[in-house]
Amino acid sequence: SQQGEEDPQALSIQEGENATMNCSYKTSINNLQWYRQNSGRGLVHLILIRSNEREKHSGRLRVTLDTSKKSSSLLITASRAADTASYFCVIVSGGGNKLTFGTGTQLKVEL
Amino acid sequence: KAGVTQTPRYLIKTRGQQVTLSCSPISGHRSVSWYQQTPGQGLQFLFEYFSETQRNKGNFPGRFSGRQFSNSRSEMNVSTLELGDSALYLCASRPGTGVDNYGYTFGSGTRLTVV
């Protein structure tokens, strides 16, 4: 498969808890990005981490990248019901022109 | 500024027909790429255009084609539709190409149903 693998496939948590999702890939990368998708609509860009970066923060989001293990993780802290969505990692390679998508994690945040 | 606009939003076509989908990128963005999303295969890359040239192509049959105009708007065409072509088709734009480390801005997609 050309897809990146995401784990878990689905995650259900209570509001206020943290959510962690993981992405593993097979190729060398230019950068890795995380996106959110609500109800089968368009994807919304969340955060980008370059291949020479190890950790990045944006608001309640924290992403890590381990190129030796070919893996990345996305942490959403203090989750809210509005965070309920599918989350995809996107592996950018081939000089920046080739995108490979992860299988996605369905996050449900309950009140 | 306006986002990425895809038209139409929904489309129902009959097997064997052909279909054309349209994508208008964010003003100033020169790279437009297309993706297919299905429950079984997930999100898959179709192709990417920059300055009216196809720069990269995914593993789809020749029935899937596209083009980009001088104003960066892009169209995607699927000929001889099959039931398995039913999917959400997404396009995305970004400022340029190469490793410019910009995120992609996606449109809301066109949901194609083939009956």
Side-chain angles (χ1 to χ4, degrees):
Chain A
S1 168
Q2 293 185 328
Q3 290 183 324
E5 295 295 323
E6 289 191 55
D7 175 69
Q9 280 192 323
L11 179 61
S12 182
I13 59 175
Q14 296 293 117
E15 200 170 48
E17 294 181 335
N18 295 341
T20 299
M21 48 206 87
N22 304 293
C23 171
S24 60
Y25 57 92
K26 298 177 181 176
T27 64
S28 59
I29 65 170
N30 298 117
N31 63 64
L32 188 145
Q33 304 177 25
W34 287 89
Y35 288 78
R36 184 186 74 229
Q37 185 179 39
N38 291 85
S39 302
R41 303 299 294 276
L43 280 72
V44 176
H45 179 254
L46 295 175
I47 193 165
L48 178 156
I49 187 164
R50 299 183 179 87
S51 60
N52 60 353
E53 296 177 314
R54 293 295 167 259
E55 188 172 314
K56 204 162 181 180
H57 296 253
S58 177
R60 294 184 295 115
L61 305 178
R62 171 179 169 254
V63 65
T64 62
L65 178 65
D66 186 335
T67 52
S68 66
K69 295 181 179 178
K70 289 186 165 53
S71 68
S72 174
S73 68
L74 173 69
L75 168 67
I76 303 173
T77 60
S79 63
R80 306 165 182 168
D83 294 330
T84 295
S86 292
Y87 291 81
F88 292 90
C89 66
V90 177
I91 298 99
V92 181
S93 60
N97 298 324
K98 181 177 170 64
L99 268 63
T100 304
F101 291 85
T103 47
T105 293
Q106 289 187 357
L107 173 65
K108 183 175 182 181
V109 181
E110 299 185 86
L111 295 170
Chain B
K1 54 185 176 182
V4 177
T5 303
Q6 289 188 249
T7 57
R9 291 287 298 276
Y10 303 92
L11 200 54
I12 300 175
K13 301 289 280 187
T14 302
R15 197 169 36 177
Q17 289 185 317
Q18 67 93 26
V19 67
T20 299
L21 310 182
S22 179
C23 174
S24 294
I26 287 176
S27 178
H29 284 194
R30 298 169 64 192
S31 169
V32 175
S33 48
W34 289 88
Y35 308 87
Q36 182 196 63
Q37 186 176 28
T38 60
Q41 299 297 319
L43 277 154
Q44 296 188 87
F45 170 73
L46 280 155
F47 28 65
E48 192 232 4
Y49 286 87
F50 177 78
S51 292
E52 302 178 65
T53 301
Q54 188 180 90
R55 297 299 295 261
N56 210 347
K57 191 176 189 302
N59 295 324
F60 278 82
R63 299 185 297 107
F64 291 81
S65 64
R67 58 178 176 168
Q68 185 180 35
F69 302 95
S70 58
N71 61 357
S72 293
R73 189 177 72 86
S74 178
E75 287 182 348
M76 173 193 139
N77 185 275
V78 187
S79 63
T80 319
L81 284 165
E82 301 176 359
L83 296 179
D85 297 332
S86 295
L88 179 67
Y89 290 88
L90 295 165
C91 85
S93 75
R94 61 177 176 142
T97 190
V99 188
D100 54 17
N101 292 312
Y102 287 100
Y104 291 74
T105 303
F106 282 80
S108 295
T110 293
R111 186 163 295 280
L112 171 66
T113 301
V114 182
V115 298

